[in-house]
């Protein structure tokens, strides 16, 4: 019994009925002027061109979300679309929705009103009251057993209210719901959001991770050297790296605040000197060989190349320490080749381990390139090839 009565404790049950009643307000007003059956036919004909207006889907969608689902904000419901119609298919579905809403609203309002009148008449009939005109059915006389039929009509009334509400909601989700094009657009938007989050996570990992690695290495080297001059240089390097990390952090937070902000401010391979000097300040002996026109490399490739170089140098400092490092950056034949080599040490990550190496391979794959990381002729090598066209 409690389960049967539960819908009547929910506000949405009554707002759905109100939604159906609203659909027949203007045709009912017309009936006061011209009492004829064809009034409803004309109303249905008038709705057809109205449904072809793109903004009509927004109007009907907002009403349906508020009154049929109870969701007041766009972000709370994706079953009913509130964007304007963008295709003839969308417009056709809106026309069907308007006609169905008018037809169901007319049937529901007349049926519930008749059932309500019948319930009142059956309740008052044993006490000598006559039935009202226009009631659904008439019973002769004034008998006591008429009172026993009142709960039946009341139950049918309640069932019609709930069922009509469920029916109009199902129609709204079907006719005002997302079309295949809407679903595709939503999926693409969601994919872009996930890609953006992944990119921001990589940005934070590369920039902040590099800065912390340099700071740790510098601090450890200064303590071990026990040389005031070296300590001063180490503190200067830590300060410079920290400032650069704060700039990167501020830029990434700016991306989070302003989703439309361009990424052109991100560092490219033209800014690689900062990375190399930071690695040298940490004690690593960096030998650099850059060939080819770096300025011709596309922005996205150059930016990702910078991050790959940054991650590679970070891994060297983290796992090998202050060791000789050979860096080669070459642009030739429409390809960017980036290679970082350092002597093998005892602490070598296994194949595929570490988020840094995985991030390097993922960056290369997203750009249509390839990356190889692992031992090679007594060295640890990071070899990346990216398309430069």
């Amino acid at each position: 019994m409690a389960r049967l009565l539960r819908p009547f404790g929910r506000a949405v049950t009554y707002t759905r009925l109100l939604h159906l009643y609203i659909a027949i307000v203007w045709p009912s007003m017309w009936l006061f002027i011209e009492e004829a059956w064809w009034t409803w036919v004309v109303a249905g004909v008038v709705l057809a061109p109205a449904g072809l207006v793109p903004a009509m889907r927004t109007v009907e969608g907002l009403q349906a979300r508020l009154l049929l689902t109870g969701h007041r904000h766009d972000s709370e419901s994706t079953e009913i679309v509130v964007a304007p119609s963008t295709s003839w298919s969308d417009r056709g579905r809106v026309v069907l929705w308007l006609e169905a809403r008018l037809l169901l609203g007319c049937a529901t309002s007349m049926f519930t009103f008749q059932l309500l009148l019948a319930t009142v008449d059956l309740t008052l009939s044993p006490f000598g009251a006559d039935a009202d005109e226009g009631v659904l059915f008439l019973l002769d006389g004034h008998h006591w057993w008429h009172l026993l039929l009142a709960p039946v009509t009341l139950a049918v009334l309640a069932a019609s209210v709930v069922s009509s509400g469920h029916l109009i909601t199902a129609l709204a989700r079907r006719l005002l719901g997302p079309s295949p094009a809407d679903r595709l657009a939503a999926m693409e938007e969601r994919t872009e959001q996930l890609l953006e989050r992944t990119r921001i996570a990589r940005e934070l990992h590369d920039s902040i991770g590099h800065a912390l690695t340099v700071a740790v290495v510098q601090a450890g080297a200064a303590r071990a050297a026990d040389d005031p001059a070296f300590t001063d240089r180490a503190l200067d390097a830590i300060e410079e790296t920290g400032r650069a990390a704060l700039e990167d952090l501020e830029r990434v937070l700016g991306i989070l605040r302003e989703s439309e902000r361009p990424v052109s401010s991100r560092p490219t391979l033209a800014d690689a000197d900062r990375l190399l000097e930071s690695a040298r300040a940490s004690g690593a002996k960096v030998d650099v060989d850059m060939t080819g026109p770096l300025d011709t490399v596309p922005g996205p490739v150059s930016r990702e190349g910078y991050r790959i170089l940054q991650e590679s140098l970070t891994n060297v400092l983290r796992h090998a320490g202050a060791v000789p490092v050979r860096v080669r950056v070459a642009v030739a034949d429409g390809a960017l080749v980036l290679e970082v080599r350092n002597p093998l040490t005892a602490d070598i990550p296994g194949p595929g381990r570490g988020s840094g190496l995985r991030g390097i391979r993922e960056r290369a794959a997203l750009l249509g390139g390839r990356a190889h990381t692992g031992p090679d002729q007594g060295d640890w090598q990071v070899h990346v090839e990216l398309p430069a066209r």
Side-chain angles (χ1 to χ4, degrees):
M1 179 61 69
R3 183 178 180 181
L4 294 176
L5 297 178
R6 189 178 303 162
F8 300 99
R10 301 170 56 197
V12 72
T13 301
Y14 307 101
T15 58
R16 288 172 176 174
L17 185 62
L18 175 62
H19 184 267
L20 288 170
Y21 284 169
I22 292 175
I24 64 166
V25 169
W26 67 274
S28 299
M29 294 176 63
W30 195 356
L31 284 176
F32 284 102
I33 302 174
E34 186 69 37
E35 295 186 6
W37 62 269
W38 50 264
T39 301
W40 296 100
V41 178
V42 175
V45 173
V46 171
L47 285 178
L52 299 178
V53 178
M56 186 59 70
R57 187 167 74 158
T58 301
V59 175
E60 292 297 320
L62 289 173
Q63 288 188 57
R65 280 192 177 184
L66 177 61
L67 298 178
L68 299 183
T69 67
H71 295 151
R72 299 184 179 182
H73 302 290
D74 293 350
S75 59
E76 295 181 358
S77 175
T78 58
E79 296 178 336
I80 298 177
V81 179
V82 296
S85 301
T86 57
S87 65
W88 287 106
S89 176
D90 294 338
R91 294 182 177 92
R93 293 165 67 204
V94 174
V95 171
L96 289 177
W97 159 255
L98 292 175
E99 301 291 351
R101 183 185 176 190
L102 176 64
L103 180 61
L104 186 59
C106 178
T108 301
S109 61
M110 293 180 61
F111 193 56
T112 54
F113 182 71
Q114 290 288 339
L115 286 172
L116 182 61
L117 287 180
T119 302
V120 173
D121 289 340
L122 289 173
T123 303
L124 299 179
S125 177
F127 303 100
D130 295 327
D132 294 329
E133 295 183 1
V135 72
L136 183 64
F137 56 88
L138 296 174
L139 294 177
D140 295 334
H142 302 282
H143 306 286
W144 63 268
W145 53 268
H146 288 177
L147 189 62
L148 300 179
L149 296 178
V152 177
T153 56
L154 186 62
V156 175
L157 172 63
S160 64
V161 169
V162 175
S163 60
S164 61
H166 284 299
L167 180 57
I168 192 63
T169 304
L171 285 174
R173 288 170 177 160
R174 179 68 177 176
L175 298 177
L176 297 180
S179 63
D182 294 326
R183 292 190 182 95
L184 180 60
M187 184 175 63
E188 290 178 348
E189 182 180 358
R190 177 61 176 167
T191 301
E192 288 296 329
Q193 291 176 353
L194 293 177
L195 289 175
E196 183 69 11
R197 291 179 183 178
T198 302
R199 186 179 68 80
I200 291 174
R202 286 175 181 162
E203 289 282 314
L204 288 175
H205 173 269
D206 292 346
S207 59
I208 307 303
H210 174 78
L212 292 177
T213 299
V214 170
V216 170
V217 172
Q218 289 280 4
R223 176 179 296 177
D226 195 18
D227 181 359
F230 183 83
T231 301
D232 290 340
R233 291 195 301 271
L235 290 175
D236 290 339
I238 291 174
E239 181 181 6
E240 181 181 354
T241 305
R243 291 182 186 277
L246 287 175
E247 292 177 1
D248 286 341
L249 180 60
E250 182 64 26
R251 178 178 48 76
V252 172
L253 292 178
I255 294 174
L256 288 174
R257 297 189 197 102
E258 304 175 21
S259 58
E260 300 299 326
R261 183 178 178 179
V263 298
S264 57
S265 60
R266 293 169 56 193
T268 65
L269 285 174
D271 307 308
D273 290 341
R274 187 178 71 177
L275 291 178
L276 301 175
E277 290 302 323
S278 177
R280 291 190 180 104
S282 300
K285 299 177 181 179
V286 183
D287 182 21
V288 184
D289 179 21
M290 290 192 178
T291 59
L294 284 178
D295 56 340
T296 62
V297 178
V301 178
S302 186
R303 287 189 287 268
E304 294 303 314
Y306 177 92
R307 290 307 184 191
I308 290 174
L309 177 59
Q310 185 181 52
E311 183 60 34
S312 301
L313 292 175
T314 300
N315 288 336
V316 172
L317 295 173
R318 181 181 299 150
H319 299 291
V323 298
V325 183
R326 284 172 290 171
V327 176
R328 183 171 71 92
V329 180
V331 180
D333 300 328
L336 169 66
V337 178
L338 195 152
E339 185 176 274
V340 179
R341 302 175 70 97
N342 63 275
L344 281 171
T345 62
D347 186 13
I348 296 296
R353 296 181 184 176
S355 59
L357 297 181
R358 184 170 60 251
I360 290 174
R361 288 189 289 268
E362 289 178 353
R363 288 180 184 274
L366 284 175
L367 292 173
R370 56 182 180 175
H372 169 73
T373 59
D376 180 68
Q377 299 179 359
D379 292 337
W380 179 266
Q381 174 189 248
V382 175
H383 183 87
V384 178
E385 296 182 11
L386 302 175
R389 291 180 180 174

